[in-house]
Amino acid sequence: MTQEATNLLPSAADSAAAGQAADIDETASAGQTARPRHSHARAAAPTERRPLWDQLFHRQKSTVRIGDVSYLDGAELTRPQEMPARVRAIMFAAMAVAALIGGLFLTKYFDQILNEPIRQQQALQENLTREVSLDLPQIAQLMPENDEDIMTSLSEAGLTLYERTPVGTNPDGGFEVIKLPPDMTVEEAGLMYVKGIDRLAAADAVRLLKGAWTLDVSRKAGTSMRVRYADFDSGSIEAAVQNAMQAEGLENAKVTDSGVDDSGNTYQAGTVKSDGEKYTWRVSVIDLSEVYDISGLPNTAFFVGIRFSA
C-alpha cells in the first residue's frame, strides 16, 4: 500500500474520535427527544358569552385568553345577523313607550297652543258676567267710629273679609281689610294675593277683583278712610265716577274740584256733612290696565278710589 493510500484511510484515532462524536450526537438527540418542551402559551380558555343585559348596554365583548394576551372572540362574527327575539321585543316595547310619550307631549303642546286661549277667553267672559254684590261700605257713617267698631260692623254684615293689616297691629292706629267676592274663600284669595295680582291670568284677576274692595283706615294725621275697587260694569270713566258717588250718597254733594290729575285719574272732589260732621271727599277713576299689568283685561275695566278725610 502506497503512502498516498495510507494517507487517505482514516487513522484509528480519527475513527475513534468520529465514533465518540456520533455517540455524543445520538445521546444529545436522545436527550432532546426525551426532554419535554416548555411553552408560554396556555390552552385556549372557553369562550364566555355575554348575557343579554351586556349586549344591550355595549359592555366588553367576549374574549379568548391565550397566555397573557386576550383576543376578541371570533364567534362574534359567525353569529346570526338577525336581532335576537328578546332584544327585538324590548326594542319594540321601548319604541311603543317613546311613541306614546311623544304623542301625549304633542297633544298637550297643541292643546296649550290652540285651545288654552279659547278656554281663557271663555273663563274671562264667565267671570265678567257673573252676578256678585259689591256691598260698598258707607264711609261717611264709619268716619266717627273707632277701628274695633268698624271691623265689628263689617263682620256683622256677613262679608267675607281678609285682614291685610289687622286691627291693633299699627302703632299709629288704623288697619287695612279686603272684602272678598262672596263666591271666594279666604284661602283662595290669599293664595292669589300672595302670588301677586299682576301675575294672574286675566280670568283669575277678574274673578278676584269683581265684587271685592279694599278699605284702608289711617289715623296718623287725623282720620282718613279710602275704599278702592275694580269696576267692570259702568262701561266708561264718567259713568264709573257717577256710580261711585251715588253708592256713597254723594250724588247731590257739593263738587269743588274736578278734572284729570297728573297721574291720569279722572276725579271729582268736594265736601259733605254727615251727622253734623264735615268731611272732604274725592272720587277718582283710571283705567284698570294702568294699575295692573295684566294682558287681556277688557277696555271697559276701571280702578276706582273713594276717599273721605276729616
Side-chain angles (χ1 to χ4, degrees), residues 9-200:
L9 293 175
S11 62
D14 292 340
S15 298
Q20 291 176 358
D23 292 340
I24 293 172
D25 290 341
E26 290 177 1
T27 302
S29 299
Q32 289 178 357
T33 302
R35 184 184 302 160
R37 295 181 178 271
H38 294 282
S39 173
H40 292 290
R42 300 177 184 175
T47 300
E48 297 179 359
R49 289 292 182 183
R50 296 181 301 149
L52 176 63
W53 186 263
D54 289 350
Q55 296 181 37
L56 291 177
F57 292 94
H58 307 289
R59 296 190 178 179
Q60 185 178 1
K61 294 181 176 298
S62 300
T63 59
V64 175
R65 189 176 182 84
I66 301 177
D68 295 330
V69 181
S70 295
Y71 300 91
L72 294 178
D73 185 6
E76 297 277 349
L77 302 177
T78 60
R79 65 182 180 180
Q81 297 299 315
E82 297 181 358
M83 186 180 296
R86 294 179 62 185
V87 176
R88 186 164 55 248
I90 293 175
M91 183 189 70
F92 287 148
M95 290 174 61
V97 171
L100 177 61
I101 294 174
L104 293 175
F105 174 79
L106 290 177
T107 300
K108 184 175 181 180
Y109 174 78
F110 285 112
D111 179 66
Q112 288 291 326
I113 295 297
L114 300 177
N115 298 326
E116 184 61 22
I118 299 175
R119 287 194 293 266
Q120 286 293 328
Q121 188 62 32
Q122 291 174 345
L124 176 62
Q125 292 301 320
E126 290 176 1
N127 288 325
L128 284 172
T129 57
R130 82 190 202 276
E131 296 292 336
V132 289
S133 57
L134 188 56
D135 297 321
L136 282 174
Q138 298 297 303
I139 304 177
Q141 297 176 11
L142 298 178
M143 287 293 289
E145 299 182 7
N146 59 39
D147 296 345
E148 290 78 8
D149 291 341
I150 294 173
M151 277 300 301
T152 299
S153 62
L154 294 178
S155 299
E156 290 177 350
L159 305 177
T160 304
L161 303 174
Y162 171 65
E163 294 186 70
R164 179 173 283 181
T165 305
V167 172
T169 59
N170 191 335
D172 295 325
F175 63 95
E176 184 178 9
V177 63
I178 300 174
K179 180 263 180 185
L180 302 176
D183 56 354
M184 287 194 71
T185 65
V186 175
E187 291 75 17
E188 283 183 290
L191 291 175
M192 290 185 177
Y193 278 113
V194 168
K195 183 177 181 180
I197 297 178
D198 282 334
R199 297 184 178 181
L200 298 176

Side-chain angles (χ1 to χ4, degrees), residues 168-243:
T169 59
N170 191 335
D172 295 325
F175 63 95
E176 184 178 9
V177 63
I178 300 174
K179 180 263 180 185
L180 302 176
D183 56 354
M184 287 194 71
T185 65
V186 175
E187 291 75 17
E188 283 183 290
L191 291 175
M192 290 185 177
Y193 278 113
V194 168
K195 183 177 181 180
I197 297 178
D198 282 334
R199 297 184 178 181
L200 298 176
D204 293 332
V206 171
R207 180 168 180 258
L208 176 65
L209 295 175
K210 185 172 182 179
W213 45 258
T214 301
L215 173 63
D216 185 3
V217 178
S218 175
R219 308 286 187 183
K220 191 171 184 179
T223 299
S224 175
M225 297 187 187
R226 181 176 58 167
V227 170
R228 295 163 290 167
Y229 63 94
D231 184 337
F232 298 97
D233 301 320
S234 294
S236 67
I237 287 181
E238 293 75 15
V241 171
Q242 295 302 316
N243 290 337

